[in-house]
Amino acid sequence: MSVESLVGQLKHGLDAPICLTWELTYACNLACVHCLSSSGQRDPRELTTAEAKRVLDELHDLQVFYINIGGGEPMVRRDFFELVEYAIGRDIGVKFSTNGAYIDAEKARRLTAMDYLDIQISLDGTDAATNDAVRGVGSYDMARRAMDHLTEAGFVERNGPFKVSVVVTRHNVDQLDTFKALTDSYGAQLRVTRLRPSGRGADTWHDLHPTNAQQRQIYHWLMANGEQVLTGDSFFHLNALGDPLPGLNMCGAGRVVCLIDPIGDVYACPFVIHDEFKAGSVRDEGGFSKVWKQSELFLELREPQSAGACASCGSWNACQGGCMAAKFFTGLPLDGPDPECVRGAADDALATVNAALTPKPAMDHSKPIALTRKLIPVAGN
């Protein structure tokens, strides 16, 4: 089957999500300025251990192969290991994202001993100054310690490479080669993802997102390195520049991906935590299965989508109009161009958006403290 045929089939949705992200908690020891879920404080309505296990039973019955666990910081939950072990016991592979704070030597050995487990350590700079401006003072050293502990525990030898996950910003674009070298030195694998204006990222996106010239830089770097670097298919808006990047060229929201949040609400995409994209709850009658298979929102998203304002652009088939979440939280129409359209098609529309009227994330779990970090200036910006 050709890639085009596969994408066409996936756009109509599947019986179960290929990629299901589950945020176990909004609690987090950090307060990253681009956090897509505005995490910090635990929500008292969080799913209980028993409820979470019932969801895992459903996912097993749906034959979901693996889940992406995140947060917040998922290891904050006291039942973290219990839930991971339960998932693996139900033949569901687990990939979890962590800032590394709770991976000491003992936990690294425990994680290494597990089957069907993958780990992503978040790092947004190859030095403390770049990383900590976004993720908080001390977070660079914390992530590196976690990577050291996993290495010493033999994680790579037993489980394969852990991942180093980077959100690309205008302040770390020039570090991509250094990120790759750092990751290779651990025998790990680099994963780079796109910055979205979601959660606290909605307030920092204009200062952090790569410039047009940097978008082109990212494209050419990925074309040269993409076979060894994971992207989560998050840069398909750059395909308008020429040959397609490795991976699927589509928005999978509600078709092949979705999000379960800590209180059990199900959203079309991890980057659009907003009532307009909430399809239901795992606590509703019929549980997750009914939401995935029958929710009006997901069924609508699986219908053929119009090219809208991009219909006259010769790059529509290449970039598919870009990211739904990026458009939504910057106040652009969903059938319009991506705010980071490399051809500049969204520039005029962005200039006229009333920031006060742009959609806001559904919930803010940020800790009641002032973020005093100073973003790193970049020459020419």
Side-chain angles (χ1 to χ4, degrees), residues 25-28 40-47 365:
T25 183
Y26 284 122
C28 190
Q41 299 183 99
R42 177 182 174 273
D43 192 306
R45 299 170 294 168
E46 207 169 83
L47 293 176
H365 292 86

Side-chain angles (χ1 to χ4, degrees), residues 141-183:
D141 291 337
M142 187 169 65
R144 291 295 302 270
R145 280 196 299 271
M147 293 157 66
D148 290 340
H149 286 313
L150 289 172
T151 301
E152 291 161 5
F155 186 92
V156 173
E157 289 79 7
R158 187 183 188 278
N159 304 80
F162 61 83
K163 311 301 186 291
V164 177
S165 186
V166 178
V167 177
V168 183
T169 71
R170 68 180 58 182
H171 306 300
N172 65 17
V173 169
D174 291 333
Q175 297 182 342
L176 287 173
D177 282 333
T178 314
F179 273 120
K180 181 70 167 58
L182 172 65
T183 304

